[in-house]
């Protein structure tokens, strides 16, 4: 636990620090999201150029506009909805995680399922690692990983059921300086398939550092390697504002 706390302190300080993080309540991000996942799910191009708003200290988020109708979406772990331009609920889904039971990688998604997945995933990506202090999260430093000529320290993160995320257990990799470089997970909404996210292009926004080039690949659990083709999801962060 002593090593875990030392690593966590180092990582949080590098990414902006909890004092600064706690002065903000909201993030707004302009992102471009691609990859083969969206065509497999029958939702190609929906997130090609979109704006995301998320609360920092609780899981609430929205996309605006989204889909051809210019909807605004609403997301919490318990509910997703589409709001039309008049402010009316056009469609909603309660307990959205339940709708993915039996899903595999090739199972198509409806619009609300896409909103659920993309909302919780983007919230987790853009708030990590400073979100590790959310209530109920358990952290444990595990054995390091040799990445080419670097040794990356690793945190095993166990999420509570109250947080919508890919899988209860996830693994985060940090460089010697403390930058988040890689993130492994096993999405329940994709049948528990294995994936890893490689994070590059760090920039600072309002004193908070985040990776602006993110690529998600198929993870090979047998040897912890990954292949760079195909790109499951690509995320390019054009701008982030903290308020």
């Amino acid at each position: 636990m002593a090593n875990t706390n030392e690593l966590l302190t180092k990582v949080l300080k590098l990414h902006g620090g909890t004092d600064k993080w706690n002065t903000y309540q909201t993030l707004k991000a302009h992102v471009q999201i691609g990859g083969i996942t969206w065509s497999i799910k029958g939702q190609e191009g929906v997130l090609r150029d979109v704006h995301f708003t998320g609360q920092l200290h609780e899981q609430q988020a929205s996309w605006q506009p989204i889909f051809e109708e210019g909807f605004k979406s609403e997301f919490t772990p318990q509910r997703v909805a589409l709001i039309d331009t008049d402010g009316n609920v056009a469609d909603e889904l309660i307990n959205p995680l339940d709708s993915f039971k039996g899903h595999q990688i090739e199972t198509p998604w409806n619009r609300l399922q896409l909103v659920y997945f993309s909302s919780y995933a983007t919230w987790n990506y853009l708030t990590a690692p400073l979100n590790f202090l959310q209530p109920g999260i358990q952290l444990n430093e595990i054995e390091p990983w040799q990445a080419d000529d670097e040794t990356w320290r690793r945190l095993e993160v166990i999420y509570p059921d109250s947080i919508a995320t890919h899988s209860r257990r996830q693994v985060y990799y940090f460089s010697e300086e403390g930058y988040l470089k890689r993130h492994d997970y096993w999405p329940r909404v994709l049948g528990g398939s294995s994936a890893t996210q490689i994070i590059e292009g760090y920039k600072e926004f309002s004193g908070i550092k985040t990776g602006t080039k993110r690529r998600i690949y198929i993870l090979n659990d047998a040897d912890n390697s990954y292949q760079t083709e195909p790109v499951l999801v690509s995320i390019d962060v054009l701008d982030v504002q903290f308020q």
Side-chain angles (χ1 to χ4, degrees):
M1 181 58 72
N3 287 343
T4 299
N5 289 337
E6 178 267 325
L7 176 57
L8 178 63
T9 299
K10 178 179 183 177
V11 164
L12 296 183
K13 182 178 180 180
L14 178 78
H15 286 81
T18 55
D19 288 345
K20 179 170 287 294
W21 182 253
N22 288 331
T23 65
Y24 300 123
Q25 300 300 317
T26 304
L27 72 82
K28 295 184 177 181
H30 181 193
V31 297
Q32 294 177 339
I33 301 178
I36 67 167
T37 296
W38 315 108
S39 58
I40 292 173
K41 296 300 184 181
Q43 300 290 346
E44 185 172 4
V46 172
L47 302 174
R48 184 177 293 118
D49 193 334
V50 285
H51 292 264
F52 176 83
T53 301
Q55 299 302 308
L56 297 182
H57 307 294
E58 58 182 328
Q59 272 198 304
Q60 293 187 22
S62 67
W63 298 102
Q64 186 179 13
I66 191 170
F67 302 118
E68 293 179 358
E69 296 87 345
F71 291 133
K72 175 183 177 180
S73 68
E74 294 180 346
F75 158 82
T76 68
Q78 299 79 29
R79 174 184 175 270
V80 289
L82 294 174
I83 310 301
D84 66 22
T85 54
D86 294 323
N88 300 313
V89 176
D91 201 1
E92 69 176 346
L93 182 61
I94 306 300
N95 297 323
L97 180 59
D98 292 345
S99 73
F100 293 90
K101 288 180 179 177
H103 274 221
Q104 300 299 319
I105 292 176
E106 67 278 4
T107 309
W109 286 343
N110 62 36
R111 288 178 167 187
L112 291 172
Q113 289 172 325
L114 176 138
V115 168
Y116 175 74
F117 173 83
S118 62
S119 297
Y120 85 64
T122 304
W123 185 91
N124 276 279
Y125 299 159
L126 295 184
T127 61
L130 286 154
N131 66 11
F132 289 171
L133 298 180
Q134 288 283 322
I137 291 179
Q138 302 174 39
L139 304 170
N140 181 48
E141 184 172 8
I142 60 176
E143 68 279 3
W145 179 254
Q146 191 67 31
D148 296 326
D149 57 347
E150 294 185 72
T151 299
W152 291 347
R153 295 173 69 179
R154 299 195 295 171
L155 275 179
E156 177 187 62
V157 180
I158 308 298
Y159 290 91
D161 291 338
S162 58
I163 294 179
T165 188
H166 288 309
S167 54
R168 190 160 185 265
R169 176 183 179 269
Q170 300 178 33
V171 179
Y172 292 79
Y173 300 61
F174 298 93
S175 69
E176 182 177 346
E177 299 90 346
Y179 286 104
L180 175 58
K181 304 292 287 185
R182 174 176 164 178
H183 174 200
D184 297 348
Y185 44 85
W186 299 263
R188 292 174 287 187
V189 300
L190 296 171
S193 56
S194 305
T196 189
Q197 177 183 184
I198 304 302
I199 301 124
E200 299 175 313
Y202 261 84
K203 293 183 180 179
E204 185 173 312
F205 303 93
S206 305
I208 305 297
K209 294 179 181 178
T210 190
T212 61
K213 179 182 178 182
R214 298 164 179 265
R215 298 294 183 267
I216 298 167
Y217 305 114
I218 296 170
L219 171 63
N220 182 356
D221 289 317
D223 62 4
N224 207 40
S225 65
Y226 61 91
Q227 57 192 66
T228 56
E229 292 292 339
V231 178
L232 299 178
V233 176
S234 64
I235 303 171
D236 292 300
V237 181
L238 305 185
D239 186 45
V240 180
Q241 298 177 24
F242 290 94
Q243 300 174 346

